[in-house]
C-alpha cells in the first residue's frame, strides 16, 4: 500500500447518526480529502470533538462537478438535494471539482 493513505475521516457531529445508522453511504469532499483508497478501512471521528464513532470501508472515490450533484447523491447522503447543495456550499463556497467517496460500515465497529 502506498504511503500517505488516509486512515481516518471526520464528519460533522450532526451527520454522524446518519453515518452510524448506515443511511448515509457517501460523502462529498474537495481535492484535499480525495486521497482515500478503495478497499481500505478508516476510523470515523467527529470533526468538532475528535470522538471516535465507527469504522468504514472505502468502496470508491469518483470525481464529480458541483453542478452534477443530483437527487441520487442526496438520497445517498440521507438529505434533500437543496440541503446537500447548501451544506457543500457552506463547506466549499467556490469549489466546482469535488469527489464522491462511497463507503460502507464495517460490521462490529460501532462505538455508540
Amino acid at each position: 500500500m502506498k504511503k500517505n493513505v488516509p486512515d481516518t475521516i471526520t464528519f460533522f457531529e450532526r451527520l454522524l447518526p446518519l453515518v452510524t445508522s448506515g443511511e448515509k453511504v457517501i460523502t462529498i469532499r474537495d481535492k484535499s480529502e480525495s486521497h482515500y483508497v478503495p478497499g481500505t478501512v478508516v476510523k470515523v471521528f467527529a470533526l468538532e470533538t475528535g470522538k471516535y464513532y465507527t469504522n468504514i470501508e472505502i468502496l470508491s472515490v469518483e470525481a464529480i462537478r458541483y453542478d452534477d450533484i443530483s437527487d441520487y447523491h442526496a438520497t445517498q447522503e440521507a438529505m434533500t438535494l437543496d440541503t446537500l447543495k447548501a451544506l457543500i456550499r457552506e463547506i466549499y463556497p467556490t469549489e466546482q471539482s469535488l469527489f464522491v467517496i462511497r463507503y460502507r460500515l464495517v460490521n462490529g465497529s460501532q462505538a455508540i
Side-chain angles (χ1 to χ4, degrees):
M1 202 177 294
K2 67 179 186 175
K3 292 182 179 180
N4 300 326
V5 173
D7 61 359
T8 64
I9 192 167
T10 59
F11 289 90
F12 287 120
E13 208 155 24
R14 68 182 185 266
L15 299 177
L16 281 162
L18 297 172
V19 174
T20 59
S21 70
E23 290 177 73
K24 180 173 165 46
V25 295
I26 67 169
T27 184
I28 298 176
R29 305 291 173 108
D30 71 356
K31 185 177 171 93
S32 72
E33 292 188 88
S34 68
H35 305 291
Y36 290 92
V37 176
T40 60
V41 174
V42 297
K43 292 179 177 359
V44 174
F45 294 92
L47 179 65
E48 297 89 339
T49 64
K51 179 183 173 190
Y52 168 76
Y53 275 79
T54 190
N55 290 348
I56 57 174
E57 178 186 358
I58 304 300
L59 301 176
S60 64
V61 180
E62 299 171 350
I64 190 170
R65 295 200 44 79
Y66 176 80
D67 293 339
D68 294 332
I69 296 170
S70 68
D71 284 318
Y72 175 75
H73 300 103
T75 299
Q76 293 182 311
E77 287 267 18
M79 56 186 75
T80 66
L81 182 57
D82 287 344
T83 301
L84 174 57
K85 285 197 147 190
L87 179 61
I88 290 169
R89 277 295 164 245
E90 180 186 318
I91 302 166
Y92 311 115
T94 60
E95 191 60 58
Q96 288 300 315
S97 298
L98 299 161
F99 293 84
V100 176
I101 301 169
R102 190 171 316 282
Y103 59 84
R104 70 172 183 86
L105 285 174
V106 175
N107 290 339
S109 64
Q110 285 190 229
I112 298 174

